[in-house]
Amino acid sequence: MSWALGEIKALSIKAAKGAGFDWGIAEEAGFAVEWLEARGLPGTRAMAQYLSRYHRETGLDIDFCPLRKGCFVSDTNDLSSIEKTSAFQPVLMAPFIANVIEGETVKLSWDKNKLVISKDGVDYNTRYQLINEPCKLFENVELSSWYAPRRFLPHKTRIGESEKAYISILNALAHKTYAPATEESRLAGAGAGLNDND
Amino acid sequence: MIEANKVHKSGINKRPASQVMRLKRMGCFHQSRLSFMRVLLRRLKRESWSFERPAFEIDEKGVGYATYSVTGPKRTYTLIAFAHDLPAELRSDRVIAEAWDATFTLFDGVPTRDDIERLSKNVPLQEAGRISEKEISLSRANRSVRLFEYVTDCLSRGIQPETSEIEKVGYLMRTTAVYGSSKFGACDRENWANREEFSGSFQPELLAVWLIRTFAIDIVEHMAKMRGGENAVRLEADIRRRFGVGNSTGLGMAPFLINHPALIDSWINGRETALGIVCKLERATGHEISKFKELVERASLNADQWTTDHEHQKAKIACLQKDMEKLKTILDSDILEQEKPWQKLLLWGEDNLGFEGQEQLVSLMLEPYGYLVDDLSSDMKADETVQFRIRGNEKIADLKQSLNRVYAWAKDIDFEDSQANARVWYVSEEKLEPRLGERHEEPIEPYEQPLAPGRDAKRLMAALETWSDDETIAAFLMQHAEHRHIVRRVQLASQKDYAEIRDNTISSTMLPIDLLRCKLSFFGATKFDPRSDRWVRITMYQGAPFPDELHALDPDDLAYPPLS
């Protein structure tokens, strides 16, 4: 079994809203997951981990929110605010950084992770730490200019069975945006009540 | 053709969005040359696509599967149809149904036995199943019990069904959902959007529906044969063509127009550009005038054949029928012999016809000019990622200017008024489908979807009052993430004239069927039959050629009913 990128993008928008973000940021979460997965990075699990912590800890410091930081970078078209910074799940900032860099290549690093980002793709050198579980705050996130990589991670068009548990997390958060059904809503909300069986 | 179009596109006048993008008018749109079904059939004919039915493994009870393959210059696609024996009490068009008379998927290529086996375990389950990157669409259909039984009975006894009986319904099967890009695991649109044969909008989905129409005929003829044996006959070609495919569409589709502003702009812009090109013509030739007059007669017949029990639509049809008579009368004058004939006729229509008549006239005016307008269809699509990113370095002054230009109409609405904010668009837990509820009667506001751009734009205007013009949008959004959604929308709508509907989408008087009608007219649907103000039945491909006769017939000529 596999999932379509567009399917997980739509799910991530709802999950981010369900986790407590406004619609506009939630849309950016959908953009980010699709961007990461298409470039071979584990966007689904990164987002699921971050959103579930954000939802669990009401008032989790938004100054360290990778989505808010990413939006600011993208909106201002300026990377300087994240040259040295602290953030949860830094990989989630990558799509927004890519919005800004045009032809440049940059390296986003934290702990032992080095993520190389260019318009055409990404590369990283340390697989095991890229997504930590559970999601924690990194106080040593750095962004710098870098050399164009010799290789990119292979692009992907599907999300595999290995992400099933994280998709379940996103589903549970998305569920919070759905109104419980009542008999009234069943009839009135969809406008039925007429015989449609002729 | 492209050169001709470039010449004719320059210096044209298009109708303003403030006139076109009103729900009352959008709820009166009619199919046209640029409708996606017609675009599809023109291509299939032009490129001489071939058709086969490699499998028809259906038993005497009507249970089994069939495959329909179509092959063009580069690729083959296959509709896989699963036929079921559905007890009457389970037959429902509602999206909450769990069983159907038939279920379908459009497969990218030629399916193997393993593919069919895999799909036989998933496609019949619809939303509860999973499909893969090899499948492009997922859909289902129910029989029109009345007409299906009548036609089976006639054919089994060796006689053709009465056309008057066919007209009462218009189809043997009615699809109730046609899911596309990435839904339930289907292939992402990005993976096929650049294929030449799918240029434009909704081409694979409508290919599937066209093949479903053939399947519906095949299965009724099969059932007649099972019942009548040697006595049974098949449908004659002219009678067969009178069967379209039905479709039942509910609220699930209504938010689509609001959720895809760039795409809607491309659709409306295509049609308005075509109209502008025609209105710019200095003269009409005798041939163009006679073709137009013939189609006015045929559209008039279509209006006469259009039935509904819905009071609102009944009144609109009655008005359309009168409008068609007025149109025929003015055409007896020399209006089309004059200079700028189409511009004159359009303005006459605005002064003398209702919205149904005006929009029917617009569609008809494009008919004689396929060579000028048909290729506009390839631009009726959108890459929605292009304008997703917010231009945060723009100034607050720019944003205020865009708001004043695109959302001026919203300023006059008091969104605190309980009638103006009466509705809430939300998604129900039960089937994950969009619904419309009453804000002041149900506890649904916390679940509201962002489908009220007018209200949100007005809230944004209020929030901007304390911000000076030279500050940036980025700075504003850093403090006001709650406005991020509408800021993105305003920036898009400021660059695309027809992206935004100029009406209150949460008002107590808003009719969701207006949204449905607009979308379905671009598909090419006819015979809109609202069953309430929230769902509608339509007919697709009625009169159109079947695969085995496409080479011999002109699909565009069959878009209106024949006069005889």
Side-chain angles (χ1 to χ4, degrees):
Chain A
M1 172 145 141
S2 68
W3 286 264
L5 298 186
E7 198 175 11
I8 300 307
K9 175 185 183 176
L11 177 62
S12 298
I13 294 171
K14 290 189 273 188
K17 173 66 180 163
F21 284 102
D22 289 305
W23 281 113
I25 301 273
E27 289 157 354
E28 307 283 355
F31 152 74
V33 168
E34 187 180 42
W35 190 97
L36 291 165
E37 288 288 349
R39 285 156 187 78
L41 289 169
T44 306
R45 59 175 68 192
M47 188 62 76
Q49 290 294 332
Y50 177 62
L51 292 181
S52 70
R53 179 156 181 190
Y54 182 84
H55 180 67
R56 205 166 51 240
E57 296 173 34
T58 317
L60 186 69
D61 198 334
I62 56 164
D63 287 346
F64 305 128
C65 170
L67 298 174
R68 296 280 301 231
K69 281 178 175 295
C71 287
F72 187 70
V73 160
S74 176
D75 289 357
T76 53
N77 207 37
D78 182 355
L79 298 170
S80 58
S81 65
I82 54 167
E83 279 170 4
K84 283 188 188 303
T85 192
S86 303
F88 292 101
Q89 216 68 304
V91 67
L92 294 177
M93 298 195 297
F96 303 97
I97 294 168
N99 272 347
V100 178
I101 54 177
E102 297 186 354
E104 306 289 304
T105 299
V106 292
K107 181 188 73 175
L108 184 69
S109 60
W110 66 97
D111 276 14
K112 294 176 187 166
N113 300 279
K114 290 192 185 67
L115 177 62
V116 178
I117 305 166
S118 86
K119 259 287 186 249
D120 299 321
V122 297
D123 188 23
Y124 63 84
N125 71 340
T126 310
R127 195 184 184 97
Y128 71 96
Q129 261 204 328
L130 188 61
I131 303 306
N132 57 307
E133 299 179 39
C135 160
K136 72 169 190 179
L137 179 67
F138 289 94
E139 293 175 338
N140 55 354
V141 182
E142 290 189 17
L143 187 76
S144 55
S145 290
W146 202 245
Y147 315 100
R150 275 169 299 181
R151 56 154 205 152
F152 295 124
L153 296 180
H155 280 226
K156 280 182 7 185
T157 57
R158 302 291 287 188
I159 295 170
E161 188 78 25
S162 60
E163 304 309 291
K164 193 172 181 178
Y166 302 97
I167 291 170
S168 296
I169 291 172
L170 293 176
N171 264 317
L173 289 169
H175 207 86
K176 298 179 188 303
T177 65
Y178 308 143
T182 61
E183 194 52 40
E184 289 86 346
S185 72
R186 243 173 236 141
L187 293 172
L194 289 169
N195 178 20
D196 56 17
N197 187 11
D198 66 353
Chain B
M1 191 191 292
I2 289 167
E3 282 307 308
N5 203 304
K6 266 187 194 154
V7 172
H8 289 279
K9 264 168 92 171
S10 63
I12 60 161
N13 290 318
K14 289 188 278 186
R15 296 190 294 179
S18 55
Q19 180 186 5
V20 179
M21 300 303 290
R22 301 299 307 269
L23 281 175
K24 270 200 173 139
R25 182 180 293 276
M26 295 166 79
C28 291
F29 280 10
H30 292 256
Q31 63 90 16
S32 78
R33 294 193 72 88
L34 296 171
S35 295
F36 311 139
M37 290 175 205
R38 293 181 61 179
V39 171
L40 176 74
L41 293 191
R42 274 202 297 273
R43 174 184 296 278
L44 298 185
K45 180 176 174 68
R46 189 172 69 240
E47 296 178 349
S48 302
W49 284 56
S50 64
F51 308 91
E52 287 185 80
R53 192 183 75 182
F56 193 82
E57 304 293 327
I58 293 181
D59 68 16
E60 70 283 357
K61 285 187 181 150
V63 177
Y65 78 95
T67 60
Y68 296 82
S69 290
V70 297
T71 302
K74 290 192 180 151
R75 295 177 192 86
T76 296
Y77 300 94
T78 305
L79 180 83
I80 307 169
F82 296 97
H84 313 290
D85 185 12
L86 181 67
E89 65 273 17
L90 291 184
R91 187 174 293 108
S92 168
D93 284 5
R94 299 285 311 282
V95 76
I96 57 171
E98 290 175 347
W100 302 269
D101 284 316
T103 52
F104 311 91
T105 186
L106 186 71
F107 187 88
D108 188 2
V110 177
T112 63
R113 211 166 259 285
D114 285 348
D115 286 319
I116 291 174
E117 176 66 17
R118 167 177 61 85
L119 292 166
S120 73
K121 292 176 183 147
N122 285 283
V123 173
L125 303 178
Q126 295 285 296
E127 293 94 335
R130 292 290 299 175
I131 53 176
S132 78
E133 65 269 42
K134 291 183 189 171
E135 288 83 49
I136 298 179
S137 81
L138 178 72
S139 56
R140 66 292 190 99
N142 282 331
R143 293 175 187 174
S144 163
V145 177
R146 194 156 42 109
L147 193 57
F148 197 95
E149 171 51 32
Y150 167 72
V151 175
T152 307
D153 180 60
C154 288
L155 296 179
S156 71
R157 291 189 289 116
I159 55 172
Q160 295 293 315
E162 294 291 334
T163 53
S164 57
E165 290 299 309
I166 299 170
E167 279 307 324
K168 284 181 195 165
V169 180
Y171 50 78
L172 291 165
M173 279 195 168
R174 176 170 69 233
T175 54
T176 68
V178 182
Y179 295 113
S181 175
S182 77
K183 289 287 177 65
F184 310 106
C187 189
D188 278 299
R189 182 178 176 277
E190 285 68 25
N191 298 332
W192 51 256
N194 291 329
R195 296 181 188 179
E196 181 61 24
E197 62 268 31
F198 291 153
S199 153
S201 288
F202 287 99
Q203 296 296 286
E205 291 89 342
L206 291 169
L207 173 61
V209 172
W210 188 54
L211 296 171
I212 288 170
R213 177 174 178 239
T214 299
F215 167 78
I217 299 289
D218 285 356
I219 197 157
V220 83
E221 289 181 342
H222 171 77
M223 298 308 284
K225 177 90 180 159
M226 292 293 116
R227 192 183 296 178
E230 290 300 306
N231 290 331
V233 291
R234 300 182 62 186
L235 285 163
E236 288 171 8
D238 288 346
I239 292 178
R240 181 177 68 159
R241 226 174 285 125
R242 291 172 184 265
F243 292 97
V245 181
N247 176 266
S248 225
T249 292
L251 273 178
M253 201 195 254
F256 184 92
L257 292 191
I258 310 171
N259 278 331
H260 298 276
L263 185 62
I264 298 322
D265 171 76
S266 78
W267 293 2
I268 308 269
N269 188 52
R271 186 165 174 269
E272 295 302 319
T273 302
L275 177 63
I277 288 171
V278 171
C279 283
K280 199 183 156 208
L281 296 173
E282 289 296 329
R283 292 278 177 190
T285 66
H287 176 71
E288 288 157 359
I289 293 171
S290 62
K291 165 129 187 170
F292 177 74
K293 285 183 174 174
E294 180 205 319
L295 288 170
V296 167
E297 293 290 340
R298 290 168 62 184
S300 183
L301 186 62
N302 183 62
D304 293 340
Q305 290 173 349
W306 185 353
T307 57
T308 180
D309 292 329
H310 193 253
E311 291 304 325
H312 177 69
Q313 185 60 37
K314 254 189 201 172
K316 283 168 70 176
I317 295 172
C319 182
L320 175 64
Q321 289 165 345
K322 279 189 201 142
D323 283 349
M324 294 310 291
E325 292 309 313
K326 285 189 205 165
L327 181 56
K328 283 188 242 177
T329 306
I330 188 76
L331 291 179
D332 288 338
S333 76
D334 67 347
I335 189 166
L336 293 183
E337 324 285 335
Q338 299 172 14
E339 278 182 14
K340 294 250 176 161
W342 304 110
Q343 178 68 27
K344 288 199 172 95
L345 190 59
L346 182 74
L347 293 177
W348 170 86
E350 288 179 4
D351 290 340
N352 291 281
L353 306 178
F355 285 159
E356 279 277 0
Q358 289 180 34
E359 294 306 316
Q360 176 67 85
L361 174 60
V362 168
S363 288
L364 286 166
M365 279 168 49
L366 309 187
E367 289 294 342
Y369 297 104
Y371 71 100
L372 291 177
V373 304
D374 284 354
D375 67 333
L376 291 168
S377 66
S378 59
D379 290 332
M380 292 166 75
K381 63 181 177 192
D383 178 352
E384 295 177 323
T385 62
V386 173
Q387 282 178 306
F388 177 77
R389 186 180 168 198
I390 286 177
R391 302 184 298 277
N393 285 335
E394 287 186 6
K395 303 289 186 209
I396 295 295
D398 301 323
L399 191 58
K400 286 179 177 171
Q401 197 179 20
S402 300
L403 280 162
N404 282 331
R405 195 164 56 77
V406 183
Y407 296 90
W409 56 273
K411 284 189 197 170
D412 300 330
I413 300 171
D414 174 11
F415 285 100
E416 301 303 312
D417 178 77
S418 62
Q419 294 302 305
N421 68 17
R423 264 74 177 276
V424 174
W425 291 96
Y426 67 99
V427 173
S428 83
E429 186 180 41
E430 193 173 37
K431 263 279 178 167
L432 312 188
E433 278 288 314
R435 297 256 167 101
L436 193 58
E438 300 297 326
R439 186 182 310 273
H440 307 294
E441 292 167 28
E442 304 170 73
I444 46 178
E445 198 169 37
Y447 304 99
E448 183 162 16
Q449 297 279 311
L451 293 166
R455 179 201 59 193
D456 295 350
K458 196 167 178 184
R459 283 181 180 167
L460 174 60
M461 291 177 204
L464 288 172
E465 275 172 14
T466 55
W467 284 70
S468 69
D469 284 357
D470 57 355
E471 288 179 278
T472 65
I473 290 173
F476 173 75
L477 289 177
M478 198 58 193
Q479 287 186 33
H480 290 286
E482 73 276 17
H483 291 297
R484 191 173 183 84
H485 169 82
I486 188 66
V487 166
R488 190 191 324 277
R489 195 171 178 98
V490 174
Q491 286 198 328
L492 187 148
S494 73
Q495 295 188 336
K496 292 184 177 290
D497 286 348
Y498 302 110
E500 193 68 278
I501 298 166
R502 266 71 164 171
D503 264 311
N504 178 5
T505 51
I506 51 170
S507 133
S508 60
T509 55
M510 185 269 305
L511 294 176
I513 47 174
D514 288 338
L515 292 161
L516 301 176
R517 166 83 177 262
C518 174
K519 183 181 182 199
L520 292 166
S521 75
F522 275 99
F523 281 29
T526 55
K527 306 275 172 70
F528 297 88
D529 176 15
R531 310 294 287 178
S532 77
D533 64 0
R534 294 171 187 218
W535 68 286
V536 62
R537 277 199 190 150
I538 52 159
T539 310
M540 300 189 282
Y541 291 116
Q542 193 172 27
F546 280 87
D548 61 4
E549 59 185 4
L550 183 62
H551 64 282
L553 297 170
D554 173 8
D556 280 319
D557 187 51
L558 297 169
Y560 295 89
L563 285 175
S564 54

